[in-house]
Amino acid sequence: MMEGDTQEIKLRVAIIGAGIAGCCLTIGLLQNPLLDVHLYEAYANVGVRGAGLALHGNAIKAMEIVSPEIKKTYFKKSHFMANEEEMEMATQILVGSGAQTGTLVAELGKAKGRRTVHRAHLIQGLVEDVIPRNRVHFDKRMIGIKDDKNIDGSISKVVVAFSDRTTQEFDVVFGSEGAKSLTRKFILGSDHPAAEPVNHDGWRCFNALVPIEEAKKTLPRESIERVRMFCTPIGYINGFPVDLGQTYSISCYQRDGKRLGRERTNFDADEWKGFCWEITSLISLLEKDPREDWKIRDHDHAPTYYRGHVAMIGDAAHATGPHAGNGAAQAIEDAAILSRLFSHVESKGQIDAALRAFDEIRRPRSQKVVDITRQFGRFYSQDEEERDIDSMKKQMREGGLYTNGVDMDSQIRAAVSAFRRAA
């Protein structure tokens, strides 16, 4: 740099994957003017893929830390469950079969003004209304990643190759491209036992969207105004409004490993109609057009969330099932911690300290949430003779307090302290 030239050399940042994690992190990192942040998405647009969300309180706290604009967009795109902002509501977990039918086992994610949203609509709002257009690049599928090193072994640049035969260099790369993440394989090694997502308990999801008026004709009012989950020995089912209350999303989570003799067969509505009448009503809507069918995968624990100047976040780092309703919340927590850490980064030499602090604080908590979620799924799909309602209530209350009751300010203080020790 010539004498008198005060232009700042920016650090180039790539975020791979425009899901909730990638969008929130982009918004957070753009607040540091030293960072030249770019978000890359493999698809040509933000399509309506996946299911709906009813975000828990910890997700709302983390949104506010990253940027008030995220919470503003969430509120704009979401729907009040009971049209009462001050009403405290939660996801109700109910027994749906056997002698204990109707028993309330747990209330998860309790918060005022509980809202629901389709995940794609939230992402669309963030991309269209919050992230500058010149920062988002669609139809850019990453196919390779490597780090170039200086002669002393330090990281020079991270080189990313895309399917359109282009390559770009960055100072730091964050992979948020989902459970089958290429970034994860780069960090852990493609032959590492935790590199690939797993489905230990044989979960599948069948989802359908129906007009809200059709749902109102079929379902009780409680199922329209609350998130109610009904548990059976072969899985569970829930439903709630999305699309600003115009559409009703129904998801049936089936544990194929519990369907003796039918583990590899497709969805059979009749198999679900022998349970409580609320389940039968939901299934009657779902069976008309079960458009989505996907295996639910999560991750065994990774020994690290970063390698060099490459890190993984969200489902790339800690994919989790939907059973505790906290997958998206964990992605937003990642973005909150990284946004605050990188607000302190003033040079390339501090990137390693920031990633190390992120790994130290976020990996233990997010991996415990994966474990809690697996356990919740096993509770939901217990055989009727296995159920110990009192034990379920106790363990689910403890798990819910851990996921939803996090002190984000304390987490940030710990992360910043770890960064300063390492920087």
Side-chain angles (χ1 to χ4, degrees):
M1 185 180 297
M2 295 179 60
E3 186 176 353
D5 186 352
T6 58
Q7 184 177 359
E8 205 168 28
I9 298 176
K10 291 195 171 188
L11 301 177
R12 292 205 76 214
V13 180
I15 299 171
I16 311 296
I20 291 174
C23 288
C24 289
L25 183 60
T26 299
I27 293 164
L29 295 187
L30 279 171
Q31 295 173 62
N32 182 346
L34 178 66
L35 305 179
D36 179 19
V37 185
H38 292 270
L39 175 62
Y40 298 90
E41 169 54 41
Y43 289 99
N45 54 55
V46 181
V48 180
R49 296 176 286 271
L53 298 170
L55 292 176
H56 292 189
N58 60 315
I60 308 303
K61 295 173 192 174
M63 280 181 188
E64 292 175 317
I65 289 168
V66 179
S67 169
E69 292 301 312
I70 298 176
K71 183 177 177 180
K72 181 180 177 181
T73 301
Y74 172 58
F75 275 33
K76 178 180 176 182
K77 293 289 185 178
S78 58
H79 168 72
F80 278 128
M81 288 300 295
N83 300 314
E84 292 288 345
E85 187 164 0
E86 292 304 312
M87 183 181 291
E88 191 171 59
M89 302 189 72
T91 297
Q92 296 182 330
I93 313 300
L94 299 144
V95 176
S97 67
Q100 297 158 322
T101 293
T103 301
L104 178 65
V105 177
E107 291 188 307
L108 302 179
K110 188 171 286 187
K112 288 184 178 180
R114 192 74 185 276
R115 292 170 175 263
T116 57
V117 67
H118 195 291
R119 66 180 64 239
H121 296 158
L122 174 58
I123 294 166
Q124 286 170 346
L126 297 175
V127 169
E128 294 169 4
D129 300 339
V130 185
I131 302 173
R133 292 190 178 184
N134 65 333
R135 299 290 177 174
V136 187
H137 311 277
F138 288 102
D139 212 10
K140 296 287 286 187
R141 183 178 297 277
M142 183 177 74
I143 59 171
I145 184 170
K146 67 175 183 176
D147 46 18
D148 285 346
K149 295 184 178 179
N150 296 314
I151 195 168
D152 63 357
S154 62
I155 302 297
S156 171
K157 293 287 183 181
V158 180
V159 181
V160 174
F162 296 98
S163 59
D164 60 5
R165 299 183 180 181
T166 62
T167 60
Q168 292 196 46
E169 294 183 341
F170 302 94
D171 295 295
V172 61
V173 172
F174 295 97
S176 59
E177 72 272 48
K180 298 180 180 180
S181 165
L182 184 62
T183 307
R184 185 180 182 89
K185 295 182 178 66
F186 171 80
I187 292 170
L188 301 182
S190 58
D191 58 348
H192 191 280
E196 295 284 354
V198 293
N199 185 10
H200 291 309
D201 292 336
W203 285 102
R204 291 169 70 187
C205 177
F206 302 91
N207 177 263
L209 300 173
V210 301
I212 193 68
E213 294 306 320
E214 185 177 351
K216 286 180 177 179
K217 292 176 184 176
T218 306
L219 301 172
R221 181 177 177 181
E222 291 86 352
S223 292
I224 302 295
E225 296 186 347
R226 296 176 182 271
V227 181
R228 288 154 59 86
M229 180 188 299
F230 296 93
C231 304
T232 82
I234 59 171
Y236 63 96
I237 186 168
N238 65 17
F240 49 80
V242 295
D243 193 20
L244 296 176
Q246 300 303 304
T247 306
Y248 195 79
S249 174
I250 305 161
S251 294
C252 179
Y253 299 94
Q254 181 170 281
R255 189 174 170 187
D256 281 350
K258 296 292 298 293
R259 301 167 69 229
L260 297 179
R262 308 193 68 194
E263 292 88 348
R264 297 186 180 181
T265 59
N266 290 326
F267 175 72
D268 181 354
D270 290 338
E271 197 172 1
W272 286 83
K273 289 181 180 178
F275 302 123
C276 71
W277 76 271
E278 291 95 334
I279 291 178
T280 300
S281 297
L282 287 164
I283 290 294
S284 72
L285 293 170
L286 175 65
E287 69 177 323
K288 293 178 181 178
D289 192 16
R291 293 187 178 184
E292 305 241 25
D293 170 6
W294 63 87
K295 290 182 179 180
I296 295 173
R297 294 179 170 89
D298 62 12
H299 282 139
D300 290 331
H301 294 181
T304 181
Y305 282 178
Y306 80 107
R307 168 185 157 187
H309 286 184
V310 178
M312 54 184 175
I313 66 170
D315 282 352
H318 42 75
T320 184
H323 321 311
N326 226 257
Q330 291 307 301
I332 301 169
E333 284 188 27
D334 286 346
I337 297 296
L338 282 167
S339 297
R340 286 300 178 90
L341 283 169
F342 273 79
S343 71
H344 295 275
V345 170
E346 298 175 343
S347 68
K348 185 175 179 177
Q350 294 178 317
I351 291 174
D352 184 72
L355 297 183
R356 188 181 307 175
F358 165 71
D359 183 67
E360 178 181 326
I361 300 304
R362 283 296 301 145
R363 184 159 51 87
R365 172 169 163 75
S366 59
Q367 290 179 342
K368 185 171 180 178
V369 171
V370 173
D371 293 340
I372 289 170
T373 299
R374 286 179 177 177
Q375 187 59 51
F376 278 17
R378 291 164 188 161
F379 283 147
Y380 300 158
S381 56
Q382 284 180 334
D383 291 336
E384 290 161 11
E385 62 271 17
E386 287 183 278
R387 291 180 188 139
D388 181 338
I389 297 296
D390 289 338
S391 177
M392 287 175 68
K393 285 182 176 181
K394 179 179 182 295
Q395 293 188 61
M396 292 189 68
R397 182 167 55 250
E398 291 173 354
L401 285 172
Y402 184 83
T403 57
N404 197 45
V406 62
D407 183 344
M408 286 302 300
D409 291 334
S410 176
Q411 292 271 297
I412 288 167
R413 286 193 298 270
V416 172
S417 177
F419 168 75
R420 287 173 174 160
R421 288 197 306 270

